[in-house]
């Protein structure tokens, strides 16, 4: 993958979490003692030397696997419950110490160790834990000159003035080399299956306004167009790559043209061979995947997602006939109307057959592009919760009718 990236003129920058979002490590039993709080699986205890050694070993392994690496992203976002652990409370009991200083102390220690091990390395980190800090706090931390903050905001209505002020604050504190971070998938809701291209394009339009409003002192290095597979290590899958390619293309063209103009839009539709930049509007076609890898799967996913989210299917148990003639009370006592329950059974069976047919088509196509485990998880998260109640109703009706000799 690194060779392919280089062949396209792309530089790979690995991101290794070093403070928050460390669920992937701290979930393991031998690492439990390294958590800041026992029930917060994401945050590293910054007081344990063993935790620091763990972080440095992870960084060493990643650097070793990336020959010629020049830049590292050390994460450090969303360090939840920092300061709540016993050792942190003891540390904070000393006069003048704050949670902000505790955060900066650990990150500075990591950044200094990286510079000692790899003096040439540029270090990027997420900015959110520093947003409420004063310039003086940042200056006194020793972090200035070691890292380049990356400010993230994924919302379509990003506040331009507030974001500009924040970037200018970092610059005034001595951190003039800064990054932005947007999103082309994810960031809508934790369980979204199909992204809205317009929502993500709007986010990039706002970022363009931010870039145009900055003073000359701010050296904006670039923008990271993030694409989420999950909100965190322990959350469910959100939008997968195959449904998000039109959004990625639209966001790239927006940045390239300075706006999502008609020209930018036509570039996307022509290059991908699709009639619309919204993946849920491209429709079912006989076109191959040559211009748009995963197009067939995207079309099938949109169809299935639409069915799964239709009120008639998702809330079948709440329809008038089920609630009126096949309630839990009636099922338990087998006090049912055969005629109406047969109609309910027929409708539920029709929905089930359609769902299972479409789900199988998605699964067959998905395993061509993703590991079996991903396909299985996606099905169990999105399809099974809708199918199971329908299956239960058909089984219960069959059992009732059987007891009635029908």
């Amino acid at each position: 993958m690194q060779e392919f990236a280089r062949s396209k003129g792309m530089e790979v920058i690995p991101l290794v979490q070093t403070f928050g979002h460390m669920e992937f490590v701290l979930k393991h039993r031998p690492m439990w003692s390294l958590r800041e709080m026992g029930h917060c699986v994401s945050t590293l205890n910054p007081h344990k030397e063993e935790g620091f050694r763990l972080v440095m070993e992870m960084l060493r392994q990643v650097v070793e696997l990336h020959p010629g690496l020049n830049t590292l992203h050390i994460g450090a976002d969303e360090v939840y419950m920092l300061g709540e652990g016993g050792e942190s409370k003891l540390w904070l009991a000393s006069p003048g110490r704050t949670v902000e200083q505790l955060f900066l102390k650990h990150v500075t220690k990591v950044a200094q160790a990286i510079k000692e091990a790899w003096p040439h390395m540029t270090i990027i980190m997420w900015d959110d834990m520093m947003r409420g800090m004063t310039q003086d706090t940042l200056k006194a931390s020793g972090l200035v000159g070691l890292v380049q903050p990356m400010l993230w905001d994924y919302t379509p209505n990003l506040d331009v003035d507030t974001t500009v002020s924040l970037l200018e604050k970092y610059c005034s504190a001595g951190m003039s080399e800064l990054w932005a971070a947007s999103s082309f998938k994810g960031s809508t809701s934790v369980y979204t299956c199909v992204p809205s291209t317009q929502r993500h394009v709007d986010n990039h339009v706002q970022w363009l306004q931010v870039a145009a409003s900055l003073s000359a002192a701010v050296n904006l290095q670039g923008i990271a167009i993030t694409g989420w597979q999950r909100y965190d290590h322990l959350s469910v899958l959100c939008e997968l790559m195959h449904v998000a390619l039109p959004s990625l293309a639209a966001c790239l063209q927006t940045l390239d043209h300075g706006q999502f103009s008609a020209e930018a839009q036509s570039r996307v539709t022509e290059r991908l061979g699709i009639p619309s930049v919204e993946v849920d509007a491209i429709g079912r076609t006989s076109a191959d995947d040559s211009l748009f890898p995963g197009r067939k799967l995207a079309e099938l996913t949109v169809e299935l997602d639409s069915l799964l989210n239709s009120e008639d299917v998702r809330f079948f148990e709440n329809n008038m006939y089920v609630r009126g003639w096949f309630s839990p009370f009636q099922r338990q006592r087998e006090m049912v109307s055969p005629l109406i329950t047969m109609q309910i059974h027929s409708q539920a069976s029709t929905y089930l057959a359609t769902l299972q047919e479409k789900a199988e088509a998605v699964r067959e196509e998905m395993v061509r592009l993703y590991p079996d485990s991903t396909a299985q998880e996606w099905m169990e998260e999105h399809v099974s919760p809708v199918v199971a109640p329908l299956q239960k109703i058909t089984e219960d009706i069959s059992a009732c009718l059987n007891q009635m000799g029908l």
Side-chain angles (χ1 to χ4, degrees):
M1 286 190 72
Q2 292 176 66
E3 288 173 3
F4 183 77
R6 277 192 291 272
S7 75
K8 299 296 181 183
M10 299 172 73
E11 177 187 352
V12 173
I13 302 176
L15 188 156
V16 181
Q17 290 289 2
T18 56
F19 208 170
H21 280 298
M22 287 190 64
E23 303 95 326
F24 68 104
V25 178
L26 300 179
K27 69 179 182 181
H28 297 291
R29 187 177 289 271
M31 306 294 180
W32 285 4
S33 63
L34 300 180
R35 298 176 186 175
E36 171 73 342
M37 293 285 283
H39 63 283
C40 182
V41 71
S42 61
T43 298
L44 185 73
N45 181 333
H47 306 280
K48 292 187 181 294
E49 193 61 29
E50 186 184 348
F52 174 73
R53 288 197 299 269
L54 168 70
V55 164
M56 293 310 299
E57 174 59 17
M58 290 194 301
L59 289 167
R60 185 197 65 76
Q61 291 181 16
V62 170
V63 172
E64 189 177 285
L65 289 168
H66 293 77
L69 187 66
N70 294 311
T71 307
L72 266 174
H73 195 312
I74 61 169
D77 57 320
E78 298 179 334
V79 187
Y80 298 130
M81 305 205 73
L82 181 61
E84 296 295 316
E87 289 175 89
S88 288
K89 286 183 175 178
L90 280 174
W91 189 87
L92 291 166
S94 296
R97 288 181 173 177
T98 66
V99 174
E100 291 179 347
Q101 291 172 340
L102 181 57
F103 170 81
L104 292 167
K105 180 172 175 285
H106 174 77
V107 175
T108 301
K109 183 178 180 180
V110 171
Q112 287 174 338
I114 291 171
K115 286 293 188 181
E116 287 173 13
W118 307 285
H120 69 285
M121 198 72 72
T122 296
I123 305 170
I124 300 172
M125 66 174 283
W126 297 119
D127 84 299
D128 54 284
M129 295 296 292
M130 302 187 291
R131 290 179 188 176
M133 298 182 189
T134 64
Q135 291 181 34
D136 289 341
T137 299
L138 291 169
K139 287 176 182 176
S141 69
L143 197 57
V144 174
L146 289 175
V147 300
Q148 298 178 359
M150 180 178 278
L151 198 158
W152 58 262
D153 193 317
Y154 313 117
T155 56
N157 57 348
L158 176 158
D159 189 314
V160 173
D161 292 339
T162 300
T163 306
V164 168
S165 296
L166 195 51
L167 288 163
E168 295 287 357
K169 180 187 80 170
Y170 293 144
C171 182
S172 297
M175 298 171 165
S176 60
E177 294 180 314
L178 297 158
W179 294 79
S182 58
S183 72
F184 74 90
K185 75 183 183 87
S187 75
T188 301
S189 80
V190 71
Y191 48 79
T192 300
C193 288
V194 178
S196 161
T197 295
Q198 190 61 56
R199 175 186 173 87
H200 294 286
V201 163
D202 288 345
N203 176 234
H204 288 80
V205 169
Q206 295 299 96
W207 270 115
L208 285 166
Q209 290 184 38
V210 169
S213 305
L214 293 170
S215 69
V218 176
N219 185 0
L220 196 61
Q221 302 290 294
I223 183 166
I225 309 173
T226 69
W228 315 7
Q229 203 89 327
R230 305 177 189 274
Y231 272 50
D232 65 35
H233 182 71
L234 297 175
S235 68
V236 299
L237 291 167
C238 53
E239 303 100 309
L240 300 183
M241 192 67 187
H242 63 279
V243 287
L245 275 177
S247 175
L248 174 58
C251 293
L252 286 166
Q253 288 299 317
T254 299
L255 293 176
D256 199 34
H257 288 79
Q259 59 178 323
F260 195 47
S261 59
E263 182 186 355
Q265 188 163 331
S266 64
R267 285 268 294 174
V268 174
T269 55
E270 287 170 14
R271 290 292 293 273
L272 295 182
I274 53 178
S276 170
V277 296
E278 295 293 351
V279 71
D280 61 1
I282 61 176
R284 183 79 80 91
T285 68
S286 59
D288 62 26
D289 286 5
S290 58
L291 295 176
F292 178 173
R295 175 173 179 161
K296 182 180 178 183
L297 180 56
E299 293 167 352
L300 292 169
T301 302
V302 167
E303 284 186 9
L304 179 56
D305 182 63
S306 177
L307 183 60
L308 290 169
N309 287 295
S310 68
E311 289 197 3
D312 287 348
V313 173
R314 183 168 285 275
F315 304 111
F316 185 80
E317 289 184 299
N318 286 333
N319 80 35
M320 181 182 76
Y321 296 101
V322 176
R323 293 184 65 179
W325 281 274
F326 201 61
S327 69
F329 180 87
Q330 291 163 318
R331 294 180 211 187
Q332 189 177 9
R333 289 161 179 76
E334 296 173 358
M335 295 164 44
V336 301
S337 161
L339 176 63
I340 295 178
T341 50
M342 284 178 177
Q343 291 173 342
I344 294 170
H345 188 282
S346 175
Q347 185 63 71
S349 297
T350 300
Y351 286 147
L352 263 177
T354 305
L355 273 172
Q356 289 167 339
E357 180 186 351
K358 290 185 181 296
E360 182 56 26
V362 168
R363 193 198 65 77
E364 285 182 6
E365 194 65 21
M366 192 174 278
V367 294
R368 292 180 57 246
L369 300 172
Y370 298 96
D372 289 350
S373 59
T374 299
Q376 180 181 350
E377 180 183 353
W378 196 94
M379 289 295 163
E380 289 186 20
E381 289 290 354
H382 298 291
V383 181
S384 297
V386 180
V387 165
L390 291 170
Q391 286 178 325
K392 181 75 165 57
I393 281 180
T394 58
E395 290 166 3
D396 287 354
I397 289 175
S398 295
C400 278
L401 293 174
N402 186 54
Q403 287 293 324
M404 298 169 73
L406 296 171

